[in-house]
Amino acid sequence: MIIIEKEQIGQIPALHLSEQTTFHQELPLIIFIHGFQSAKEHNLHYAYLLAEKGFRVLLPDVIHHGERDSGLSDSEMMPLFWEMVLQTIKELSVMKDELLGRKLIDPDRIGVAGTSMGGIVTNGALAAYEWITAGVSLMGNPSYVAYAELQIEEIKKRKLPFPVTDEEAGKVMEYLKPYDLSLNPDRLASRPLLFWHGAKDPIVPYQHAYRFFEGVKAGYDGAEGKIEFTLDPKAGHKVSREGVLMTAGWFEKHLLPTVQKA
């Protein structure tokens, strides 16, 4: 039986899942991050499938979302997008350290995944942390600076209110660079990474992620099957069931002990 516990890790509300019989044992960990304007409960189907396979799973709420909702409108939240991304990357370390201190996780088997904004967080976290063993980016983007520039262009094209000067935007770009996996590809260090994207996605176009994948896959020589890109020709900005199952299978392949898989 899978059990779900509501927890507060520091300032972070999270759902904590695993098999009941192993809830207090050391397990491989997956932290799954939801998308913009979503919440932790919306990804319980991922967590259930992963917990069934033997993982401990954390579903946190990103700041200004879910239980951390601050009453901001859509237009008020959008300028905070990158602030939310970078804060979530920092909070990944907080959550990992908390469970490590409770002796509930194997520090050599930690995965991070997410949809849309959560996929973007996943890519930045791989640039920031060596302790992440494997990742899955669902509709994410590793090219922080290029995507931020695209967002600004779209805002200006649509003549939407943009409360940031060009100078301030430039400072944001500089701050994003250390987390931009496309600018720091060596930080990936041949770790297992799966990209899933819809070809018709209008929110996070797949091209940035695909160009990154094409650029780094040659460095995975001798590590067959550790980096993959799946492009669903029919999908927009929504992960198909195949993408959900692929996520669980990816972590099963790369994070579960051989003895457990046998």
Side-chain angles (χ1 to χ4, degrees):
M1 178 167 44
I2 306 299
I3 62 171
I4 306 171
E5 296 280 353
K6 285 187 74 171
E7 294 203 13
Q8 187 84 13
I9 301 175
Q11 301 299 310
I12 311 160
L15 296 178
H16 182 172
L17 294 84
S18 87
E19 284 276 5
Q20 184 177 28
T21 55
T22 56
F23 194 84
H24 299 290
Q25 297 177 20
E26 185 181 273
L27 299 173
L29 170 70
I30 308 295
I31 305 177
F32 196 102
I33 310 298
H34 64 74
F36 185 67
Q37 296 176 324
S38 185
K40 59 186 182 302
E41 293 84 2
H42 297 185
N43 291 315
L44 275 167
H45 54 311
Y46 289 96
Y48 182 85
L49 289 171
L50 289 163
E52 268 196 324
K53 291 183 180 298
F55 291 102
R56 184 177 306 284
V57 187
L58 274 188
L59 300 174
D61 273 329
V62 172
I63 190 169
H64 303 309
H65 291 74
E67 291 183 55
R68 304 170 83 179
D69 182 11
S70 46
L72 298 176
S73 67
D74 294 356
S75 60
E76 289 170 325
M77 283 180 71
M78 196 60 229
L80 302 175
F81 180 83
W82 290 106
E83 177 185 322
M84 293 187 290
V85 167
L86 297 185
Q87 178 161 337
T88 305
I89 291 173
K90 292 175 183 175
E91 290 178 350
L92 290 175
S93 189
V94 172
M95 290 182 279
K96 181 265 295 182
D97 288 345
E98 167 71 19
L99 294 187
L100 198 55
R102 288 157 59 182
K103 301 187 186 308
L104 291 177
I105 60 172
D106 178 348
D108 296 322
R109 300 181 191 276
I110 298 175
V112 177
T115 55
S116 192
M117 180 176 70
I120 292 170
V121 167
T122 298
N123 286 289
L126 284 163
Y129 302 128
E130 294 180 355
W131 50 260
I132 297 173
T133 317
V136 175
S137 171
L138 301 159
M139 308 180 299
N141 192 328
S143 306
Y144 277 31
V145 172
Y147 186 51
E149 289 171 345
L150 187 66
Q151 287 176 318
I152 291 171
E153 285 174 21
E154 186 64 23
I155 287 168
K156 289 180 177 178
K157 188 192 303 180
R158 294 168 60 188
K159 302 188 185 311
L160 299 173
F162 186 59
V164 177
T165 66
D166 288 344
E167 183 181 356
E168 289 169 331
K171 289 178 181 176
V172 170
M173 301 300 176
E174 286 300 314
Y175 195 57
L176 292 178
K177 284 181 179 178
Y179 302 93
D180 187 320
L181 202 54
S182 71
L183 299 178
N184 305 279
D186 291 349
R187 295 185 185 175
L188 187 53
S190 297
R191 284 174 288 178
L193 176 57
L194 169 67
F195 290 97
W196 184 97
H197 225 114
K200 299 178 180 179
D201 190 336
I203 308 298
V204 186
Y206 75 87
Q207 286 85 354
H208 287 147
Y210 189 72
R211 279 196 293 269
F212 173 76
F213 163 76
E214 285 287 295
V216 299
K217 68 178 181 179
Y220 277 75
D221 279 351
E224 190 68 28
K226 287 181 70 177
I227 188 161
E228 293 182 11
F229 193 106
T230 295
L231 185 66
D232 187 323
K234 297 179 181 178
H237 196 65
K238 183 179 179 182
V239 182
S240 65
R241 174 163 172 78
E242 289 75 16
V244 175
L245 296 174
M246 203 175 290
T247 299
W250 185 261
F251 286 125
E252 180 181 28
K253 176 182 177 182
H254 293 289
L255 287 187
L256 286 185
T258 306
V259 111
Q260 188 168 336
K261 287 189 280 186

